[in-house]
Structures are given as C-alpha cells and as structure tokens.
Amino acid sequence: MATKEPKLSKREVLRTLKSMPDEFVAEDLIERIVLMEKIARGLADSAAGRVLTGKQMDEEIRRWSKTQNTLA
C-alpha cells in the first residue's frame, strides 16, 4: 500500500537554515533536513496507527539479530 510522503514546508526549512551558523558545510544542512523528514514520516505513521508495540519491536529485533548472525 503506497503512503503519501509527508512534505516539509519552506518555513520549516528556512527556520532550520536560520538556526545554522553563518558558515557550514552543505552536508550538515542536508542531514538536518533529512532528519526533519524522518521525524515527519514517523509522526505521520504514528497518527495513521502504523506502529508496533514494545513486544512486537523486541521480536523484530530478535528476528533481525538472528538473520545478521547467520550472515556473519
């Protein structure tokens, strides 16, 4: 099922840009924008009920760990 990607506003990006020092590497700004997007996705998932309980997450981590151990 395709989900609509949450969008960032210019206002949010400009606020982030203004919070940066006068000189910075572009990668730092890009990392902040990517983080903002990930937070927006997480909030949208939560609002839509696309979440796991702590128990379900523990099981996912256990399953993932077993997979990683067999690849090593």
Side-chain angles (χ1 to χ4, degrees), residues 18-65:
K18 287 178 182 179
S19 74
M20 301 285 291
D22 288 339
E23 294 184 5
F24 58 88
V25 248
E27 186 175 323
D28 292 341
L29 178 60
I30 293 166
E31 285 177 2
R32 286 191 188 191
I33 292 172
V34 168
L35 176 60
M36 290 169 53
E37 183 182 42
K38 288 180 180 185
I39 291 170
R41 281 186 196 169
L43 291 172
D45 283 345
S46 179
R50 293 185 299 268
V51 295
L52 297 176
T53 65
K55 191 173 185 176
Q56 290 170 319
M57 193 66 220
D58 288 343
E59 183 57 36
E60 287 292 317
I61 291 169
R62 261 189 246 102
R63 200 172 325 159
W64 180 81
S65 294

Side-chain angles (χ1 to χ4, degrees), residues 5-27:
E5 291 290 321
K7 294 184 179 182
L8 300 175
S9 70
K10 283 184 187 179
R11 181 175 288 149
E12 291 172 303
V13 175
L14 286 172
R15 185 175 37 223
T16 299
L17 180 59
K18 287 178 182 179
S19 74
M20 301 285 291
D22 288 339
E23 294 184 5
F24 58 88
V25 248
E27 186 175 323

